[in-house]
Amino acid sequence: MDLKVIHLKGIDSTNRYCYKLGKEGKRNLVVIAEVQSAGVGRLGRRWYSNYGGLYFSILLDLKEYLNDREESIGKLNFIGSISVYETLIEYLPKNLRESIGIKFPNDVIVSVNRDKKICGILSEINWDHKFVVLGIGININNHIPEDLKDTAVSLRELCKREYDRFEIFYRFLSRFKDNFHLEDREILKKYEKYSKTLGRYVKVVTPNEEITGTVFKIDYGGIYLSTLEGIRYINVGDCIHLR
Ligand code: BTN
């Protein structure tokens, strides 16, 4: 897999930019920006993107790499989150390595006292033009604003030092390319191993309801909960770890 990297000083959103390039027929690109003025998060939220973080999006052809299937987007998200996990864990001191993990669907979190997000992933698919954009934001040296301090953390804050963002970025890309060629069962095995959600009692908040239960399986499409009313399969929403 050959990916061309486009480095920008600033942009509204690397996902938006890749989406535009995708419609123009461009493929196999990674757009990385120093800052984003309108970074987009999941479920229509904003992704705060000040200087010092990593903000990038990968533009891929849906047919060439992902078999043009609905579940491809879930698979790509899994490849993204396991690659971020494998990249970041190498930078953490031994005493923090147990604390990092993946929270459903694709957040990479660090649990010290409470779960805090270090990476978020937002993928978008365009069926008409057959491309997919995988957007990744990682808190590296960026300052976390006061109102997000309870829920987000940076690598600098965790390890009390600054990091070379581009070294981390290129290590991620290399992991991503390796993981991309794995068989489904190997991807799922890694995801399960790194998951902080599997086996947990959780609350999933969807646009229509809140469901509580114990997570006994996760696949590309969603999460399986064992609830008092029986088994539920949920494919969208926020997941809160209760215990
Ligand atoms: C989330 O809500 O957890 C997903 C956040 C995704 C943020 C990244 S930063 C790079 C790319 N560009 C965007 O506008 N969003 C994604």
Side-chain angles (χ1 to χ4, degrees):
M1 174 189 270
D2 209 14
L3 294 173
K4 181 180 165 211
V5 177
I6 300 177
H7 183 186
L8 305 173
K9 285 269 166 262
I11 190 81
D12 52 351
S13 149
T14 56
N15 264 38
R16 292 274 72 78
Y17 189 64
C18 273
Y19 212 82
K20 186 170 135 295
L21 297 178
K23 284 185 172 171
E24 290 167 6
K26 307 269 192 338
R27 298 292 185 269
N28 300 336
L29 293 177
V30 189
V31 175
I32 176 163
E34 299 280 317
V35 290
Q36 297 184 118
S37 55
V40 197
R42 282 179 64 239
L43 309 171
R45 295 186 188 123
R46 189 172 169 223
W47 184 260
Y48 192 76
S49 315
N50 54 350
Y51 184 80
L54 271 177
Y55 315 106
F56 58 93
S57 302
I58 304 174
L59 170 62
L60 294 175
D61 192 273
L62 201 51
K63 281 181 288 185
E64 185 181 352
Y65 284 115
L66 294 156
N67 306 324
D68 203 0
R69 284 169 46 199
E70 181 85 54
E71 64 167 35
S72 306
I73 196 87
K75 174 174 176 169
L76 188 65
N77 283 330
F78 274 33
I79 296 170
S81 55
I82 62 177
S83 306
V84 170
Y85 170 97
E86 290 174 349
T87 305
L88 292 181
I89 198 165
E90 288 191 357
Y91 288 90
L92 292 178
K94 280 209 176 68
N95 63 325
L96 283 176
R97 290 197 184 150
E98 288 286 304
S99 315
I100 188 167
I102 301 172
K103 181 162 89 78
F104 177 82
N106 300 291
D107 293 348
V108 179
I109 59 162
V110 181
S111 316
V112 206
N113 301 324
R114 57 180 298 163
D115 292 347
K116 292 191 180 184
K117 189 153 155 171
I118 194 163
C119 163
I121 295 186
L122 174 70
S123 47
E124 297 176 82
I125 204 158
N126 185 305
W127 290 107
D128 290 339
H129 295 84
K130 304 271 183 225
F131 67 83
V132 67
V133 174
L134 177 71
I136 301 186
I138 314 177
N139 299 321
I140 307 285
N141 302 320
N142 50 311
H143 170 75
I144 306 287
E146 218 43 57
D147 56 326
L148 295 178
K149 278 219 155 50
D150 276 353
T151 51
V153 72
S154 68
L155 195 60
R156 181 180 69 175
E157 195 184 323
L158 281 171
C159 305
K160 317 279 179 251
R161 51 160 289 207
E162 297 258 331
Y163 286 88
D164 179 340
R165 283 172 303 141
F166 287 92
E167 181 193 290
I168 298 177
F169 170 67
Y170 281 103
R171 283 202 190 180
F172 164 84
L173 273 191
S174 145
R175 289 270 180 196
F176 179 78
K177 289 177 189 171
D178 289 348
N179 284 323
F180 204 90
H181 297 292
L182 294 180
E183 303 269 322
D184 281 353
R185 74 184 145 76
E186 291 171 293
I187 296 170
L188 291 167
K189 206 166 118 198
K190 281 192 178 196
Y191 184 93
E192 283 170 9
K193 189 167 161 214
Y194 308 155
S195 173
K196 284 235 179 258
T197 303
L198 200 60
R200 294 283 285 270
Y201 187 65
V202 303
K203 176 162 80 179
V204 183
V205 183
T206 79
N208 308 316
E209 58 180 337
E210 292 187 2
I211 310 128
T212 11
T214 304
V215 182
F216 65 94
K217 186 177 167 185
I218 304 176
D219 64 20
Y220 292 150
I223 191 167
Y224 293 80
L225 292 191
S226 165
T227 76
L228 286 176
E229 288 81 39
I231 288 169
R232 291 288 307 270
Y233 182 57
I234 307 149
N235 59 12
V236 63
D238 270 333
C239 174
I240 300 155
H241 293 158
L242 296 176
R243 52 174 190 259

